[in-house]
Every structure is written in structure tokens, then in C-alpha cells.
Amino acid sequence: MEKEEVLEQEAEHFLDTISKNIERIREVKGMTKLDVSRELGFMYPDHYSRMELRAKGKHFNLKHIYKLSKILDVSISELIGSEN
């Protein structure tokens, strides 16, 4: 496997980890996808839901992660950290 392919797989795993962390923390905080979606300023929760589920290649960007850290009252490192 070429280095570029390995980096791509690792990046996808990283994005999956972030989404799983956000979902887990959101649920612990007792917030729905709709709650978080609205606080992020989305009119409809579908876009947020696709990012959390990583559907259709969607993922959170840095601005989303910053805002989510504030909305969920956690550090950015808790959102992007490994699930170990």
C-alpha cells in the first residue's frame, strides 16, 4: 500500500473518531441532534446528522469542532482525541 493510501485511510479513521466522540459526548450531555444542529445554526438537522454519521462523506470542519466544544462544554482535545 502506498503512503498516500495509508494517509488517506488514517485521515478517514481520524474523522470517524471525531464523529463518534461528538455523538457519545452529545448523548452524555442529554442533547439531541436537533438541539446541537440548531445551536450550530443549521436550519435543518439533516446536515448535522450526516456529519455525525459520516454519511455521504460528510464530516465536521475546524469551525464546527470549535463551536461544538463550546456547545458541549468540552475541550477540543476531548472531541478529537482517540477513543482508547
Side-chain angles (χ1 to χ4, degrees):
M1 187 176 285
E2 291 187 33
K3 187 174 183 176
E4 183 178 322
E5 292 172 354
V6 171
L7 286 173
E8 185 63 26
Q9 285 183 349
E10 289 174 351
E12 290 299 316
H13 178 72
F14 179 65
L15 293 172
D16 290 343
T17 297
I18 291 169
S19 290
K20 288 175 187 172
N21 288 344
I22 290 169
E23 179 182 26
R24 177 180 45 77
I25 293 166
R26 175 185 57 74
E27 289 174 347
V28 166
K29 299 283 183 169
M31 297 181 78
T32 67
K33 289 179 185 179
L34 180 61
D35 295 334
V36 177
S37 176
R38 286 187 175 154
E39 288 204 41
L40 282 171
F42 297 134
M43 187 173 288
Y44 303 103
D46 296 353
H47 187 67
Y48 173 84
S49 185
R50 282 192 292 273
M51 290 188 294
E52 193 178 273
L53 296 171
R54 297 271 294 124
K56 299 182 181 181
K58 300 293 183 196
H59 57 84
F60 297 103
N61 66 32
L62 291 173
K63 193 174 197 179
H64 296 137
I65 291 169
Y66 174 80
K67 288 179 177 182
L68 286 164
S69 75
K70 301 301 181 189
I71 292 166
L72 298 172
D73 193 30
V74 295
S75 69
I76 290 173
S77 64
E78 288 182 71
L79 297 178
I80 66 172
S82 176
E83 294 183 310
N84 294 336

